[in-house]
Amino acid sequence: MREQEFENYLLEDKNIVSKVKAVRSRVNKARMIEKHFSISLDQIIADDHRMYDALIKIKAEMNDTNGNLSNALRKYYLFANGVPFPTLLDYKKGRIGR
């Protein structure tokens, strides 16, 4: 993960109100995902199939009931790729963004 660049990106995000706390939380959650899967977020977001699988596994394996972990990964995808990742249903139906 390009941690410092991601943090700067989040700090510039106008939708994030509580900058320091929210940014720190998202970066920490991104680190948790890397640790759980033993893979860099850059490798996950580079392939849409891997991204989809990671989002499914985050729900199942990491007990992401409130969506915070998935949100951190989705924010990283947006940061790195410049487009949001589609909903899981849209992706599954073949309506993919890139």
Side-chain angles (χ1 to χ4, degrees):
M1 167 175 45
R2 297 174 291 169
E3 194 170 315
Q4 189 59 53
E5 290 175 66
F6 182 47
E7 189 174 324
N8 292 341
Y9 170 81
L10 292 172
L11 287 169
E12 306 252 335
D13 189 333
K14 306 235 184 298
N15 295 318
I16 298 176
V17 180
S18 172
K19 292 290 185 198
V20 174
K21 185 177 177 183
V23 168
R24 187 174 303 133
S25 176
R26 282 192 178 94
V27 171
N28 284 337
K29 286 178 181 16
R31 276 194 220 113
M32 286 173 58
I33 294 167
E34 286 187 323
K35 184 176 180 183
H36 180 81
F37 293 113
S38 299
I39 188 172
S40 168
L41 289 191
D42 291 303
Q43 291 175 287
I44 294 172
I45 59 94
D47 177 86
D48 284 352
H49 295 301
R50 190 177 290 147
M51 175 73 176
Y52 176 81
D53 288 341
L55 288 168
I56 297 294
K57 288 178 181 178
I58 286 169
K59 279 185 175 184
E61 297 174 13
M62 298 182 76
N63 197 27
D64 188 30
T65 54
N66 59 11
N68 289 337
L69 291 165
S70 297
N71 178 270
L73 181 56
R74 286 179 173 280
K75 282 283 188 188
Y76 194 80
Y77 184 96
L78 179 61
F79 151 72
N81 294 318
V83 295
F85 191 77
T87 65
L88 296 179
L89 183 59
D90 281 346
Y91 183 83
K92 190 174 180 179
K93 289 183 176 183
R95 295 182 230 146
I96 55 178
R98 303 191 281 167

